[in-house]
Amino acid sequence: MDFSLMVRVFPFFLEAALVTVQISALALVLGLAAGSLAAAAKLSRSRIIRTLGTVYVSIFRGTPCLIQLFILYFGGPQIGIHLDAFAAGVIGLGLNIGAYMAESIRGAILSVDKGQTEAARTIGFGRAQTMRKVVLPQAARLMIRPLGVNTVALVKGSALVSTISVVELTYTAQRFIGSTYKPFEIFGVAALLYMIIVYAVARVVDLLDRRYALS
């Protein structure tokens, strides 16, 4: 194993890891927003709104994320959507993970004891007030672990944006392999940095879980 090569390329991989973190963080924010809206839509009393939420979740969970990225980046210009690779990666990953987060959020809300809702309604709370003050605070605790799993999947799935030329960890590894012909060492460095990022995410999830458990 060529350790000297791994040391030489490490600074370049650190820069690429920062891009991976940035694209994952932005996609996470978009995914949480999209997932929350989709979950609310699927819980709506309106059949039309429920259908819209179901269609969104079905499309983005039922098709490969890679195809979604290709449609957005390569196919977008045909319908007037012109995005650079980074923006297309953020939007594609965000909308994809948002569909999975929608089910995690909806499941957590439905897991809250219905007696809590009934009790809130008997003391005069409206539906929105009951959701905001009674259901969501309890559901938030149940969302932490599933959303943490979604976030880890998002970080690992961010490697897909290398296919549309975003210079993140996987793209950087592929580029160095072309010049060094040492895939074991190069992919080993990339794997190490992915593991560090995933570990950091897992630690944050653990801290949030403990904090809510004590509150």
Side-chain angles (χ1 to χ4, degrees), residues 79-184:
I79 56 174
I81 300 175
H82 298 273
L83 298 170
D84 60 37
F86 187 89
V90 169
I91 295 172
L93 291 175
L95 292 178
N96 179 268
I97 203 64
Y100 291 90
M101 289 182 168
E103 292 301 291
S104 298
I105 294 169
R106 187 174 74 97
I109 291 173
L110 292 176
S111 295
V112 175
D113 187 355
K114 291 184 179 179
Q116 301 284 332
T117 301
E118 294 170 359
R121 299 302 292 271
T122 59
I123 61 174
F125 280 14
R127 189 168 185 266
Q129 194 175 19
T130 299
M131 181 64 70
R132 186 175 70 255
K133 293 187 175 182
V134 178
V135 177
L136 287 180
Q138 297 180 66
R141 301 177 184 180
L142 304 174
M143 293 178 195
I144 294 173
R145 286 291 173 186
L147 293 181
V149 171
N150 292 150
T151 303
V152 169
L154 171 62
V155 171
K156 293 189 288 187
S158 67
L160 291 173
V161 301
S162 64
T163 61
I164 57 174
S165 302
V166 177
V167 186
E168 44 69 73
L169 276 173
T170 301
Y171 185 91
T172 300
Q174 292 170 338
R175 188 170 61 181
F176 272 103
I177 287 170
S179 59
T180 63
Y181 301 102
K182 293 190 175 181
F184 188 87

Side-chain angles (χ1 to χ4, degrees), residues 55-79:
V55 168
Y56 162 69
V57 171
S58 297
I59 290 174
F60 283 91
R61 289 186 62 169
T63 57
C65 184
L66 182 61
I67 297 299
Q68 295 164 20
L69 287 171
F70 283 172
I71 290 174
L72 187 62
Y73 184 64
F74 297 113
Q78 287 186 247
I79 56 174

